[in-house]
Amino acid sequence: MDVARFDLRGLAPGQGPSRRHVASVVDATPDGVLVVQGPVQALAAVLARLWKSDRLPVVTVGWEPVEGDADCRGLARDLGLGTGAPRELPLVRDDHGGVLLHHGRIESAAPGRALARRFGAQAHHDAVKVADGDITRIEVRPSWDVEDQISVAVVTVPLRRPGRTTGRALQVACDPARVLRDGVPVDREVQRWTWYADDRVRWRLQP
């Protein structure tokens, strides 16, 4: 089986790779195994491109995370990287074409200190209303121990530990907000956003 490597270790924290660069490399990679070298956002960008090009069924993805990066350590642990046989895993997507692997956030787009910023939002996690009014932020994580689920926490008061809900999809309508996917800001403000575990899609991990 062919094994190709894609080196994205030069990405800075909070920096996503160029979509054009990712597309040019991924689209030219033959079917087989593609090993992504780099931080969490590098792996997410490659999976997003494989999904968009309908190649998730024919490309098995390996990952060589960045040493010393807390998010890499956390995701590697959640995925069981380095253990077991190749396996199929769920994919959390959004309605803007992105993929979420470790940590997503929705917060106010207004300037000022993060803890002081609040914004109006209505949010449903499946059938449960999890926000209806002014909030500080919404935190989202894929639930790797439960198939096709995401964990959601809505922070209404800074520094107070929020409760969490688990379900398949989060839908948000809000004042202008900033979205971060695995630490990388989306390039525009949003007033609607959806994250969901897509039960129609699987990707294959080479551990």
Side-chain angles (χ1 to χ4, degrees):
M1 181 178 291
D2 292 331
V3 178
R5 281 179 163 74
F6 188 6
D7 189 350
L8 289 166
R9 289 173 291 185
L11 292 173
Q15 177 192 13
S18 159
R19 290 182 184 178
R20 181 174 298 179
H21 179 48
V22 170
S24 66
V25 173
V26 171
D27 293 355
T29 300
D31 297 349
V33 178
L34 173 58
V35 177
V36 181
Q37 300 168 299
V40 174
Q41 65 265 31
L43 178 60
V46 169
L47 290 173
R49 183 60 196 177
L50 288 170
W51 173 79
K52 289 176 185 175
S53 57
D54 295 321
R55 298 188 66 214
L56 283 175
V58 296
V59 177
T60 299
V61 180
W63 182 38
E64 295 179 3
V66 175
E67 293 185 5
D69 182 277
D71 287 341
C72 284
R73 285 196 304 272
L75 180 59
R77 181 182 60 249
D78 291 343
L79 297 178
L81 199 66
T83 64
R87 51 192 175 271
E88 291 190 340
L89 295 171
L91 196 67
V92 174
R93 300 175 47 221
D94 61 60
D95 54 351
H96 289 64
V99 163
L100 184 68
L101 292 177
H102 186 58
H103 181 219
R105 175 181 290 184
I106 303 174
E107 61 187 20
S108 173
R113 294 188 307 112
L115 289 178
R117 296 197 307 260
R118 294 169 66 80
F119 66 109
Q122 289 189 337
H124 287 82
H125 194 188
D126 292 348
V128 179
K129 182 181 286 187
V130 293
D132 187 10
D134 287 344
I135 63 172
T136 302
R137 64 184 184 275
I138 300 176
E139 308 272 0
V140 179
R141 292 184 182 274
S143 298
W144 292 106
D145 57 342
V146 182
E147 195 168 89
D148 299 323
Q149 300 282 288
I150 57 176
S151 172
V152 172
V154 177
V155 179
T156 56
V157 179
L159 305 180
R160 179 182 295 177
R161 187 170 184 173
R164 283 192 172 271
T165 56
T166 301
R168 179 178 171 269
L170 172 72
Q171 296 178 299
V172 180
C174 60
D175 294 337
R178 184 174 81 140
V179 174
L180 293 93
R181 299 187 192 107
D182 292 318
V184 179
V186 172
D187 58 5
R188 60 188 178 278
E189 296 178 3
V190 304
Q191 291 183 273
R192 292 187 180 274
W193 191 266
T194 300
W195 263 310
Y196 60 101
D198 192 339
D199 58 4
R200 304 164 299 176
V201 178
R202 292 292 182 267
W203 63 283
R204 190 168 177 82
L205 173 70
Q206 175 71 45

